[in-house]
Amino acid sequence: MVSHRRTSQQGQTTLAGVTVLSAALATAAALSAQPASADPAKHPVAGREAATSQVDKLYEQAERATEKYDGADARAKQLRDEVATLQDRTARAQERVNRMRGRLGALAAAQYRDGGLDPTLKLMLSERPDSYLEKASALDRLSNAQAGRLHELRAAQRSLEQQRRETVRKLAELEAGRKDVARHKKDVQRKLAAARRLLNALPRDAREAYARASRSDGRGEVVPDLGGAVPASGRAAAAVAAVRAAVGSPYAWGSSGPSAFDCSGLTQWAYGRAGVWLPRTSQAQRGAGRQVPLSQAQPGDLVIYRSDASHVGMYVGNGHVVHAPYPGARVRYDPVAMMPISAVTRP
């Protein structure tokens, strides 16, 4: 992808950001001037450049859709847990109501055997005893013990109804979340399928040239000189060790390890290995710590890219990050200024 390809290492983020932005504008102009279906045979240079530029654009769009999928999927998982908890609480509340009504039923049976059922107790056993309790004049007919039981039963029934309503609401949210997951998944799949079609339509030498340009450090797995930078903390050091161990693993959208990753899945997994929980998406990871200037970045810091925070990598020292670039590529080292940076976060 254009925005992921290795640039010459620069210490000035602003200059790199302007260069990448200019390239993006040029790509947009080329796409508007050249239809995606341009025949490379008729326009061997312009057609191939337009096709590869659109592949880059589709990969970027797929990554944005992937982050939306990851967010929707994480929310759906959270809702499933909340629904399970609510269902358990509802069942417990129902059991409590049943036990209380059972105790009152036993008292009623005893009174009936002794010659008749007290009308007060009969009302206490009704489906809606609160309608009786709410009549102030009726309270005079209750003993203190009976009034206490009735108050307790009414509170238990109200709690049960509240649990039921909350469960119904969460189930509706869960269903909506499942639809969001499915929609974003289809969006990712459409973008990736379109990119594959464009690549497959290119001549073999053009596909190989694109593959070479998309790699860094030969195969993207050669360890650069990372200098003597010191991680910000012991947990940052553990996360850096984990992310470096993942270099060479394949990119897989929606994956968070241990054998394949998307961008935010990689950083979440690496910090998870260090015993630190990170949110699932790059947008949420931007706010998962303290913001620091790029000039003060230390190994373990999260580098968030693009204005919409749709990509993330981990700084590992000496102007390099490790990240999961895009489908078809592997986890690799790249210069920190490979694309516009929107934030640097220290978890």
Side-chain angles (χ1 to χ4, degrees):
M1 179 158 60
V2 170
S3 58
H4 283 300
R5 294 178 190 171
R6 176 174 292 280
T7 61
S8 59
Q9 183 174 336
Q10 298 290 336
Q12 300 296 326
T13 304
T14 303
L15 178 59
V18 170
T19 302
V20 174
L21 180 59
S22 299
L25 292 173
T27 297
L31 288 175
S32 62
Q34 180 77 27
S37 58
D39 185 355
K42 294 180 180 179
H43 308 281
V45 177
R48 293 180 187 184
E49 288 182 353
T52 55
S53 293
Q54 189 161 352
V55 169
D56 291 337
K57 189 68 175 177
L58 285 166
Y59 277 149
E60 185 175 321
Q61 292 171 356
E63 185 168 47
R64 289 189 169 99
T66 296
E67 289 301 294
K68 291 179 181 178
Y69 167 87
D70 289 341
D73 188 52
R75 176 59 178 159
K77 289 177 181 176
Q78 177 185 347
L79 283 170
R80 282 196 293 271
D81 291 342
E82 291 177 2
V83 166
T85 300
L86 283 168
Q87 288 174 332
D88 180 65
R89 289 177 181 171
T90 301
R92 292 176 184 273
Q94 182 67 68
E95 289 175 1
R96 183 165 179 252
V97 168
N98 292 344
R99 285 196 302 269
M100 295 171 68
R101 292 181 66 83
R103 286 196 296 269
L104 290 173
L107 178 60
Q111 287 193 3
Y112 184 78
R113 286 193 299 270
D114 291 341
L117 183 61
D118 185 337
T120 299
L121 190 56
K122 185 177 181 180
L123 285 168
M124 292 173 71
L125 289 169
S126 67
E127 286 298 321
R128 299 194 60 82
D130 51 340
S131 62
Y132 175 66
L133 184 62
E134 287 167 1
K135 296 178 181 178
S137 60
L139 290 176
D140 295 335
R141 302 176 61 186
L142 294 173
S143 68
N144 289 337
Q146 288 173 330
R149 292 191 188 102
L150 189 53
H151 276 292
E152 188 179 2
L153 177 58
R154 185 178 68 163
Q157 287 180 317
R158 286 178 173 175
S159 176
L160 175 59
E161 289 303 316
Q162 181 180 353
Q163 295 291 341
R164 285 174 174 165
R165 287 193 297 270
E166 182 69 6
T167 301
V168 169
R169 186 178 69 82
K170 289 292 184 180
L171 283 170
E173 285 186 36
L174 178 57
E175 182 59 27
R178 285 171 175 161
K179 291 179 180 177
D180 284 341
V181 170
R183 183 174 70 254
H184 294 313
K185 180 177 181 178
K186 288 180 180 178
D187 193 18
V188 174
Q189 291 172 331
R190 281 195 300 267
K191 303 295 185 187
L192 296 181
R196 283 193 293 269
R197 285 195 298 271
L198 279 171
L199 282 174
N200 291 337
L202 290 172
R204 180 177 178 180
D205 62 333
R207 291 198 303 271
E208 292 175 350
Y210 180 85
R212 287 193 299 271
S214 297
R215 300 188 190 113
S216 62
D217 290 320
R219 290 188 57 82
E221 300 174 19
V222 177
V223 180
D225 178 9
L226 299 179
V230 178
S233 64
R235 62 186 187 181
V240 168
V243 81
R244 292 184 63 185
V247 169
S249 300
Y251 180 104
W253 69 270
S255 296
S256 55
S259 57
F261 307 88
D262 61 22
C263 69
S264 56
L266 174 64
T267 48
Q268 184 191 50
W269 173 84
Y271 262 101
R273 300 281 289 180
V276 178
W277 180 86
L278 286 183
R280 182 61 182 90
T281 67
S282 54
Q283 290 88 353
Q285 289 179 12
R286 176 170 55 183
R290 179 168 61 91
Q291 303 286 303
V292 297
L294 178 61
S295 61
Q296 297 177 19
Q298 293 179 270
D301 291 349
L302 303 178
V303 183
I304 312 297
Y305 292 97
R306 306 191 189 108
S307 60
D308 62 354
S310 56
H311 189 73
V312 61
M314 186 183 295
Y315 188 73
V316 291
N318 199 23
H320 283 81
V321 295
V322 170
H323 68 133
Y326 54 86
R330 293 180 176 273
V331 175
R332 70 191 191 195
Y333 296 92
D334 264 324
V336 67
M338 62 183 171
M339 66 179 83
I341 296 171
S342 64
V344 178
T345 298
R346 182 166 298 161

